[in-house]
Amino acid sequence: MKYLTYTVALSIIITSIFSCSDSNGKADGYGNFEATEITISAENNGKLMSFTIEEGQKLEKGAFVGYIDTIPLTLKREQLEVSKSVITSKSKGVLSQINVLNAKLKNGNINKDRIENLIKDNAATQKQLDDVDGEIDVVKSQIRSVELQNAPVVNELKSIDVQLRQIDDQIKKSKIINPIAGTVLTKYAEPNEITAFAKPLYKIANLNSMQLRVYISETQLANLTIGQEVSVKIDYGDAMKPYKGTIGWIASEAEFTPKIIQTKEERVALVYALKINVINDGSLKIGMPAEMWIEN
């Protein structure tokens, strides 16, 4: 009899402990799973020549998924190259003139040095030196004149080089490169369609790690910190499937409970949003409801 009484009492104590830890069978928070979704848009205008992705497909970072027609850009680049060659040939003629004048200037300076040395030995006159200085000044003036004539040509060549770099950048951006590893959620375009700059092509998200957004009351906030581990549960047949989660973000300001909460009484309450990071085993989907349980 005493043993039976002890067993019953022990059972009541254990039941009470588990009831307290489970908050009388109610979860500490409810919410839905979400992921960071990125919309990939076209960076150029033209016909979508190739676009080899499908919804649900997993892509690696840096994967080549398609390209936009580059023939118009290639033709324009060839045209600029021809123009650059023509202008360069003109510039070479001007540069050859400058080289001839520089050679004259060099000889003039040599003659000047020779005459200055002769003057020291009283073997030359000041007039001879003045004549050489005059010839040097004329050559320098001619060089400046030719350089001024060549300046527009040089500027035009610089302008063409800038245009060539711009076209190379556009050709590079005609390749559609996937920026992050993830799963294609939505496909907005098909091959052979005409696309334009900033037009969406597809949406992708990394589903390996999901975020559960839940809302908690101010009284619960004191027991939660960023980095804290919690338990997350989803419906799994007639039971609940548990996951380990880590609190990654807690709102700094309160807000009214979102309208997705069913009862009017709960909707008018002030709550705090938080995000829980959960490793996805393949069962978690965007928008799936889940429960949060604070581990004691």
Side-chain angles (χ1 to χ4, degrees), residues 63-82:
F64 175 80
V65 298
Y67 70 95
I68 300 169
D69 185 16
T70 58
I71 292 179
L73 292 172
T74 304
L75 294 175
K76 186 175 180 181
R77 195 183 196 287
E78 291 178 359
Q79 183 181 7
L80 287 172
E81 288 285 3
V82 172

Side-chain angles (χ1 to χ4, degrees), residues 11 14 27 46 52 54 63 79 86 99 120 139-140 155 162 173 194 220 250 257 280 282 286:
S11 299
I14 292 174
T52 57
E54 297 296 336
Q79 183 181 7
V86 173
N99 291 334
K120 292 178 181 178
V139 173
K140 288 182 177 178
N155 291 333
V162 171
K173 290 180 178 178
I194 302 298
Q220 293 173 294
I250 300 175
T257 306
N280 190 2
I286 295 176

Side-chain angles (χ1 to χ4, degrees), residues 103-116:
K104 287 184 177 181
L105 180 63
K106 183 178 179 181
N107 291 332
N109 288 323
I110 292 173
N111 290 333
K112 181 179 179 181
D113 293 338
R114 185 182 299 115
I115 291 173
E116 286 177 344

Side-chain angles (χ1 to χ4, degrees), residues 9 136 141 196 198 258 277 283 285-286:
I136 290 175
S141 177
N277 299 321
S283 300
K285 308 295 180 184
I286 295 176

Side-chain angles (χ1 to χ4, degrees), residues 34 50 81 83 87 89 93 138 162 166 192 199 214 233 240 243 247 252 257-258:
E34 58 185 37
S50 174
E81 288 285 3
S83 300
I87 296 172
S89 64
V138 170
V162 171
Q166 288 175 339
N192 299 315
K199 183 177 180 181
V214 299
K233 297 180 181 180
M240 300 290 287
Y243 291 85
I247 298 176
S252 58
T257 306

Side-chain angles (χ1 to χ4, degrees), residues 218-235:
E218 187 174 2
T219 56
Q220 293 173 294
L221 186 63
N223 298 323
L224 298 174
T225 58
I226 294 177
Q228 179 179 341
E229 288 191 353
V230 295
S231 180
V232 173
K233 297 180 181 180
I234 63 170
D235 293 330

Side-chain angles (χ1 to χ4, degrees), residues 27-41:
D28 296 292
Y30 302 88
N32 299 83
F33 280 106
E34 58 185 37
T36 302
E37 302 176 4
I38 299 178
T39 300
I40 311 303
S41 302

